[in-house]
Structures are given as structure tokens and as C-alpha cells.
Amino acid sequence: MSRRAAEDGFERFLNPTVTAIHREFSIGRALRGTGLGPGGYVLDRLRTNADALERRIVEPEFDAYRERSLKQFRVLLTYAESDRPIESFEERLLAHDSYLYALDPAVTTRQREAVIDDVLTRLQCLGSGIEPIVRRPEDDFWSAAEAAFDREEALELIEEAFPFTGPLRTYRSSFAFEVRIDPNEIIDIPFGRAFPTVTIDYTDEAVRAMSRAERRVLEELKREVRSRFEP
């Protein structure tokens, strides 16, 4: 068996995805409509210090998203290697799930359970889809994939198992992508004046950026499959 090939393939998908989300994400749009301080002063200053906000807030968020995704996928690989049901791995999978991190604290138990069911359904689909790769001896992803699938099977895997924004589209109102910041650490504050810690809700911008990035990366991946696999 080769977990290495499957993890190699996942990183070939994850890294461009995180990069694409980062490129799509706009600090300006995230701050739009956010009231931070008297007369919008803090908002205006944050906009003019977008680079500092990017370094302190956005980049750590993307790093955390990537790390959680990798940890979750490694648990999924263990599921794919086993004969146990997905429920046996539920706690470990959900412990690294970025959507659960972003659930609005105000959601009901029923809403939370609906999101969890959606997340686990997708992970089960992905785990079943990569199982033929996991069981191949090759360590290189494309070598294992070309031995495990034909062209149509590979395209079907990408279209059915790789999309990741389904929960966002189905349960959008259940999420609250937020970050707390101390404006005093990012912008120059006039002498004798200080502002309290504030919360920036960037849910709309996160959904927009992730959806656009998903479409772009999936199309690129399907183009590569078509170029590598014979019709």
C-alpha cells in the first residue's frame, strides 16, 4: 500500500487551492461594511495598512487551514486503509475540520448535526475515491493514479470527491468566519487614544474566495488528467 502517493496527490490539490483562495481573498472586501471605531477611523486606517493586516491575520488563517486539512486527510487515509466504517473515525476527522471551526456559535444542535453529516458524507466519498490509489504500490501520485484509474474514472473522482465548498453553499447561514484583532497593534494610534479589540466578520468574502478558487483548481486538475490519460 502507498499512503505516500495519496498524500502526494492531496498536496498537489491542497497547495494550489490555498494559493488560489489567498489570491482571490480581498482584505478590502472583507472590511467593507465593517464599523470599527468612531467615524470609521479604525476602518480607514486598517484599509491603508492592508499589508500589516495580511501578515498578522490572513496568512496565519491560511496556514491554519492548510495544517488542519493535512491532518484531517491523514486520518482519512487511515480510514481508506481500514475496513471500518467512517463513524469509527468521526471524532478524529471532525477534530481537524475547518468548517466546524467556522460554525456560528449560535447554530442549533440540529444545524450543527446537519453540517457534520454533510462533512462526513464528503469525506467518506473522498476516502472511498482514493482507496484504489492507497492500495497501489507506487509512491508517486500520478503513477499510482494512472495505474488505478482510466481517464473517465479519474475525472469522475475529481468531480465527485474533490469539491469542498458544498457545506458552505448548503448551510451558508450556519457559518461565521471571524477573527479578533487589536487595532492598536496594527495601525498608528494618535497619542493618548486607544481602541478596543474588535471582531472582523469575513464570511461573505471567505465564501466568495473559496468558491472561485475551487472552480479554478478543479478545472486545472481536470485539464491535467485529460493531458495525462489517454482517451
Side-chain angles (χ1 to χ4, degrees), residues 22 25 27 31 45-46 49-64 178-189 197-198 200 202:
H22 200 168
F25 190 87
I27 289 290
L31 292 174
R45 296 305 301 272
L46 285 173
N49 286 269
D51 289 344
L53 194 61
E54 178 96 5
R55 289 192 302 272
R56 295 194 182 207
I57 306 300
V58 178
E59 291 180 3
E61 288 290 306
F62 280 112
D63 289 342
E178 297 177 338
V179 63
R180 289 184 64 78
I181 65 170
D182 182 353
N184 307 283
E185 296 179 351
I186 298 176
I187 61 179
D188 294 327
I189 304 296
T197 300
V198 296
I200 296 177
Y202 60 97

Side-chain angles (χ1 to χ4, degrees), residues 36-102:
L36 303 175
Y41 172 81
V42 177
L43 176 58
D44 289 340
R45 296 305 301 272
L46 285 173
R47 283 174 174 160
T48 60
N49 286 269
D51 289 344
L53 194 61
E54 178 96 5
R55 289 192 302 272
R56 295 194 182 207
I57 306 300
V58 178
E59 291 180 3
E61 288 290 306
F62 280 112
D63 289 342
Y65 174 83
R66 183 182 184 280
E67 187 61 26
R68 284 195 297 268
S69 298
L70 280 174
K71 288 180 178 179
Q72 185 182 63
F73 188 75
R74 287 165 185 152
V75 176
L76 193 65
L77 286 176
T78 302
Y79 159 68
E81 289 176 331
S82 76
D83 295 322
R84 288 179 287 164
I86 192 78
E87 288 77 15
S88 299
F89 301 88
E90 178 176 337
E91 184 176 349
R92 293 167 61 195
L93 288 168
L94 297 181
H96 304 300
D97 193 79
S98 292
Y99 287 131
L100 293 191
Y101 273 83

Side-chain angles (χ1 to χ4, degrees), residues 174-215:
S174 296
F175 297 101
F177 289 85
E178 297 177 338
V179 63
R180 289 184 64 78
I181 65 170
D182 182 353
N184 307 283
E185 296 179 351
I186 298 176
I187 61 179
D188 294 327
I189 304 296
F191 181 74
R193 191 178 186 185
F195 292 94
T197 300
V198 296
T199 298
I200 296 177
D201 184 318
Y202 60 97
T203 305
D204 288 344
E205 181 58 14
V207 173
R208 189 200 69 83
M210 293 173 75
S211 298
R212 289 175 63 91
E214 178 186 68
R215 290 194 297 271

Side-chain angles (χ1 to χ4, degrees), residues 2 6 80 126-138 144-145 147-149 153 157:
S2 178
L126 179 58
S128 299
I130 64 172
E131 183 179 346
I133 294 176
V134 173
R135 298 192 180 282
R136 292 294 310 175
E138 296 86 357
F149 305 117
E153 289 171 337
L157 173 63

Side-chain angles (χ1 to χ4, degrees), residues 207-225:
V207 173
R208 189 200 69 83
M210 293 173 75
S211 298
R212 289 175 63 91
E214 178 186 68
R215 290 194 297 271
R216 179 189 302 176
V217 173
L218 289 178
E219 285 305 314
E220 290 175 355
L221 193 54
K222 285 190 286 188
R223 279 198 296 271
E224 185 161 8
V225 165

